Amino acid sequence: MTPAPERGGGTAPAPRRVRRFLRHNGLGLFFLTAFLLALAGQAVAGHAEFNDQLVSDGMAPIGFGTYVMSSDFAVDVTENWQSEYLQFFLYILATVWLVQRGSPESKEPGRAGTESDKGQRAGRYATEGSPRWAAATDWRGFVYSRSLGLVMGTVFLLSWLTQSVTGVAAYNEEQLRRLQAPVSWTEYLTAADFWSRTLQNWQSEMLAIASMAVLAIYLRQRGSPESKPVGASDSATGVEG
């Protein structure tokens, strides 16, 4: 017999639990699905483009599975990942110390810095619902209070390293097709190909952050926490709708 749902914390029927899970995690699930669809589309389009290039060079095309496992596909993926995580890493750190008056993406002027334990509900000011490490006053508290930036920065560095490794492999494959000498990994790190791939992504990410921080001063998106309330003053800072 299926147990009836209870307001006081009883077990809800499975369909209701699924609906609740989807409702409570819709934002993450939406973007995860969009990511997978975009990645699949990139693989299909990249495979077609890569085979077109092979045919034009007088070589036989390769299968889809071979392309997805190739360094050419890997470098195209990781060069975007590293720039995205760099964007968030810099944004997280910059918003600790820098402010933008009137932007909901910024703290209020005068609040720059890591703030007090009381304001952050850390250490002895942690509450009953705070994460366990938030109350720690040793290395655990130090690490946890900076864990978001540490993880974002680590993923950025690992993605960038992966881009360089897969990039040199893809670059050398192209060099060999042109009957030119391959280069070492250290030589590739100073090559125009590596920095062209890197900087074309970095500049777009920096522009996107600057645009969001400044445009959100004057423009609104009703109901979005990334926007101020529709009727909020342009000079209101750190206010979310």
Side-chain angles (χ1 to χ4, degrees), residues 3 21 25 38 53 57 65 71 79 85 112 125 138 147 150 154 166-168 174 180 195 198 205 208 228 230 237:
F21 174 82
N25 298 278
Q53 184 62 48
D57 290 342
S71 57
E79 73 179 55
Y85 280 98
Y125 296 101
D138 53 14
S147 55
L150 288 172
T154 299
T166 56
V168 69
E174 186 174 351
Q180 296 179 354
W195 286 103
T198 295
E205 303 300 343
K228 293 186 287 189
V230 175
T237 307

Side-chain angles (χ1 to χ4, degrees), residues 40 46 48 62 64 75 101 112 125 143 157 183 186 202 241:
I62 62 175
F64 180 76
V75 69
R101 186 173 182 269
Y125 296 101
V143 170
L157 291 175
V183 300
T186 54
W202 285 8

Side-chain angles (χ1 to χ4, degrees), residues 195-206:
W195 286 103
S196 175
R197 287 179 175 273
T198 295
L199 294 174
Q200 69 177 332
N201 287 283
W202 285 8
Q203 54 86 14
S204 63
E205 303 300 343
M206 300 307 108

Side-chain angles (χ1 to χ4, degrees), residues 50-71:
F50 188 72
N51 276 340
D52 286 344
Q53 184 62 48
L54 288 179
V55 171
S56 67
D57 290 342
M59 303 178 68
I62 62 175
F64 180 76
T66 302
Y67 172 74
V68 170
M69 298 299 296
S70 71
S71 57

Side-chain angles (χ1 to χ4, degrees), residues 85 89 147-161:
Y85 280 98
F89 172 65
S147 55
L148 182 59
L150 288 172
V151 169
M152 290 292 187
T154 299
V155 176
F156 157 66
L157 291 175
L158 291 175
S159 300
W160 201 19
L161 175 63

Side-chain angles (χ1 to χ4, degrees), residues 88-103:
F88 284 110
F89 172 65
L90 292 179
Y91 187 64
I92 290 165
L93 293 188
T95 51
V96 173
W97 301 101
L98 305 176
V99 299
Q100 181 65 53
R101 186 173 182 269
S103 176

Side-chain angles (χ1 to χ4, degrees), residues 28-182:
L29 291 172
F30 170 79
F31 279 103
L32 178 60
T33 302
F35 158 72
L36 293 175
L37 290 174
L39 184 63
Q42 178 186 353
V44 172
H47 175 240
E49 179 185 21
F50 188 72
N51 276 340
D52 286 344
Q53 184 62 48
L54 288 179
V55 171
S56 67
D57 290 342
M59 303 178 68
I62 62 175
F64 180 76
T66 302
Y67 172 74
V68 170
M69 298 299 296
S70 71
S71 57
D72 293 88
F73 179 66
V75 69
D76 288 340
V77 171
T78 55
E79 73 179 55
N80 288 288
W81 287 7
Q82 59 88 4
S83 65
E84 296 294 342
Y85 280 98
L86 174 66
Q87 176 194 59
F88 284 110
F89 172 65
L90 292 179
Y91 187 64
I92 290 165
L93 293 188
T95 51
V96 173
W97 301 101
L98 305 176
V99 299
Q100 181 65 53
R101 186 173 182 269
S103 176
E105 302 295 315
S106 167
K107 295 189 290 188
E108 296 178 357
R111 289 187 55 202
T114 56
E115 304 181 20
S116 65
D117 283 352
K118 183 177 181 179
Q120 289 287 307
R121 286 178 283 181
R124 65 189 181 93
Y125 296 101
T127 65
E128 183 178 346
S130 298
R132 185 174 61 182
W133 280 28
T137 56
D138 53 14
W139 65 270
R140 294 173 298 169
F142 178 86
V143 170
Y144 184 74
S145 64
R146 294 160 176 81
S147 55
L148 182 59
L150 288 172
V151 169
M152 290 292 187
T154 299
V155 176
F156 157 66
L157 291 175
L158 291 175
S159 300
W160 201 19
L161 175 63
T162 304
Q163 178 199 335
S164 70
V165 173
T166 56
V168 69
Y171 182 79
N172 281 337
E173 286 178 7
E174 186 174 351
Q175 287 288 93
L176 292 173
R177 288 200 298 268
R178 295 176 178 177
L179 302 180
Q180 296 179 354

